[in-house]
Structure formats: structure tokens, C-alpha cells
Amino acid sequence: MEKIRNNVNSIKNKILVMSGKGGVGKSTVAVNLALALADEGFKTGLMDIDLHGPNVARMVGLKKQPEVVEGQIFPPEVLPNLKVISISSFVEEDAPVIWRGPMKTTAIYQFLGDVAWGELDFLVIDSPPGTGDEPLTVLQTLPDIMALIVTTPQAVAVQDVKRAINLVETMHRNPLGIVENMSYMRCPHCGEITKLFGEGGGKNLETLFSIPLLGSLPFDPTLVGFSDNGKSIVTHMRGSELEVAYRSTVKEIVKRVNI
Ligand code: ADP
């Protein structure tokens, strides 16, 4: 534990991105947060600990392997100000990943204790959905971790996300805020708004837990096409409703941290 605390000592803000269930856009929010922060000049690290579905590497265009020197892991810099470490660098491509609980915990300890980040303003950690070993280990190990909760407006997603927030609260960790993703879609032809997944999820959570709703992001089909190779919402979708909403969400996050 002491080794881990020393290793992450020079990281000012650590953010764990969590969600109740898969498919709500957690990785998209995590990767784009890291890309947006790096774009604004913050020294940023992105750590992908989703052992079962690591797709962060593709989204940021991670091609270089980390260097391992005398037990220390040096994360590649994929863009100016952005270093990335992903569990996918340590498993063969397309190999089924069968890890048991203790193995996952060991891998995460290693990531936290052995990755030589240097000085960082932000470390963004993308964990698998739910309240399994991975988010639990990070919450347990890092007392100053801040949890960013991603949900959709849907009641079912909200039900699962309550469990994630309860975990954060039970462990006395700091909930940074909630991001509601896929809040609505605007028809590109007539401008009409469709609430694809109902409404109110983020707002209800904000009221229930007194955790700030930091932003509501629209569904934008063009995102699916380019969500790889380091193309980000803030750099490649300038002027879109999604970019405006995302930029304002990032601003809310930056307002609440120690910079
Ligand atoms: P999770 O990490 O929660 O499983 P992902 O971030 O992998 O979810 O997103 C699931 C899918 O939804 C991806 O194809 C992603 O590109 C898409 N997606 C996420 N957010 C949006 C959005 N706001 N608009 C359009 N597509 C989105």
C-alpha cells in the first residue's frame, strides 16, 4: 500500500469513471475527458482497467507498447500531455481474457504501484461497469479518488447506478458528480428532439444523493463513426451540440478539483 501511495503521490487529481451497467457510454466519457484535459494543456494519464472489454486503446490510438525497465512500467505518450496505460497491452489481441478476482486485484495493484506517470494534473481511470473487483480495488486503495458516475436517463440504468454510488458512499470516497449520457437526440433534418431513453435519470440521482449533475450529453450518431485513433469530441466535433455540452461538463469537472 505504501508503495502505491508513494507512486501516485505526484498525481494531483484521480478520477474513477464508473457506471451501473455497460453500454451507457462510460468509456466514451472517460476517454474524451482525458483527451479534453490533455487538449487544454493539463498533464493527463489514462488508465484502462476494464480487463474484459478493453477498448480504450483503440479509442486513443494506442499502438506503442509500454516500456518495462527494472520493474517500472513507462506508459507511452499517445498525444501531447496524454500518457496511456491499458491492460490490453498485456494480453494478446483477440485472446479471451479469463481473470479471476485475485488476479485482477494484483494487476490493478501493479498498475497503481509500478506505472511511472511522473507529475500529472489528472489521472482518469476507466473501470468496468458495476461494483466488481476493479472499481472496488481502486476505491479501497486510493483515499483521494473522486468518482465520476455515468448514467443514461433510463430508470433501469439508474437502478444499477444507485448501487455504484452507494459503494462510493459506503467507502467514504468523494463523488465528483454525475454525467447523463444519451439524454436526447436531435433530428439532423427537422431539429425535433427525441428522448431515446426516457428522461430524468441524472436529475433524480442528483436529488436523491445530493451529488451534482455536471452535464447532460446528447446522442450524436456521428460519434460512433470516429470514436477511434484519438479523435475526440472536443477536437473533432467542434460546434456540435455534443461538443458544447461535453466542453461545459469538462469545465464543471475542472471547477471542482484541485488545480
Ligand atoms: P460503456 O463503456 O458504458 O460500455 P461505451 O463508451 O463503450 O460504453 O459506449 C457504447 C457505444 O455507444 C459506443 O459505440 C459509443 O461510441 C456509443 N456512444 C456513447 N456515447 C454516445 C453518444 N453521446 N452519442 C452517440 N453514441 C455514443
Side-chain angles (χ1 to χ4, degrees):
M1 276 318 149
E2 173 122 18
K3 182 181 175 198
I4 291 177
R5 302 234 163 112
N6 286 339
N7 193 50
V8 295
N9 220 355
S10 42
I11 302 175
K12 283 194 198 150
N13 298 287
K14 307 168 186 88
I15 299 176
L16 176 66
V17 184
M18 302 175 74
S19 69
K21 66 184 192 103
V24 300
K26 174 188 49 58
S27 294
T28 304
V29 167
V31 168
N32 278 280
L33 175 60
L35 289 165
L37 291 168
D39 188 57
E40 292 202 9
F42 295 113
K43 288 199 177 71
T44 307
L46 175 64
M47 184 167 132
D48 171 23
I49 53 166
D50 192 345
L51 305 168
H52 295 283
N55 48 19
V56 166
R58 176 183 50 78
M59 289 164 84
V60 295
L62 174 68
K63 296 196 179 76
K64 282 183 259 170
Q65 287 290 330
E67 270 184 61
V68 183
V69 183
E70 291 173 6
Q72 276 202 304
I73 306 170
F74 290 85
E77 191 166 59
V78 295
L79 287 167
N81 300 319
L82 182 63
K83 293 177 184 170
V84 180
I85 194 85
S86 168
I87 196 71
S88 63
S89 301
F90 298 87
V91 289
E92 274 175 54
E93 214 171 320
D94 297 329
V97 187
I98 308 157
W99 295 57
R100 282 172 290 105
M103 290 164 75
K104 288 192 234 173
T105 308
T106 309
I108 292 167
Y109 283 155
Q110 216 166 352
F111 265 22
L112 294 173
D114 296 341
V115 175
W117 293 108
E119 304 235 322
L120 288 184
D121 296 307
F122 288 94
L123 176 65
V124 179
I125 305 178
D126 185 25
S127 72
T131 49
D133 289 316
E134 299 89 335
L136 183 68
T137 306
V138 173
L139 289 168
Q140 264 171 346
T141 314
L142 304 177
D144 58 347
I145 190 84
M146 295 175 278
L148 184 67
I149 315 285
V150 182
T151 185
T152 61
Q154 214 173 1
V156 190
V158 168
Q159 204 49 40
D160 288 329
V161 102
K162 280 182 188 168
R163 262 178 243 131
I165 299 179
N166 280 329
L167 178 71
V168 173
E169 299 208 323
T170 310
M171 300 188 69
H172 306 291
R173 296 306 187 237
N174 180 10
L176 180 60
I178 300 158
V179 176
E180 188 186 85
N181 189 28
M182 310 191 194
S183 300
Y184 64 90
M185 187 175 119
R186 188 182 295 279
C187 171
H189 306 294
C190 68
E192 194 193 346
I193 280 183
T194 308
K195 306 269 169 120
L196 293 167
F197 301 107
E199 61 188 307
K203 203 76 206 152
N204 290 345
L205 290 170
E206 179 178 51
T207 311
L208 192 64
F209 291 96
S210 302
I211 298 174
L213 176 60
L214 304 176
S216 298
L217 311 175
F219 183 92
D220 186 333
T222 53
L223 176 64
V224 181
F226 78 67
S227 222
D228 49 26
N229 286 321
K231 291 185 186 159
S232 79
I233 294 171
V234 296
T235 56
H236 283 72
M237 293 181 81
R238 287 238 158 100
S240 68
E241 227 166 305
L242 177 57
E243 186 258 350
V244 173
Y246 201 83
R247 201 175 276 281
S248 131
T249 307
V250 174
K251 225 186 228 166
E252 289 300 316
I253 291 171
V254 173
K255 246 198 243 170
R256 288 171 164 77
V257 302
N258 129 54
I259 282 299

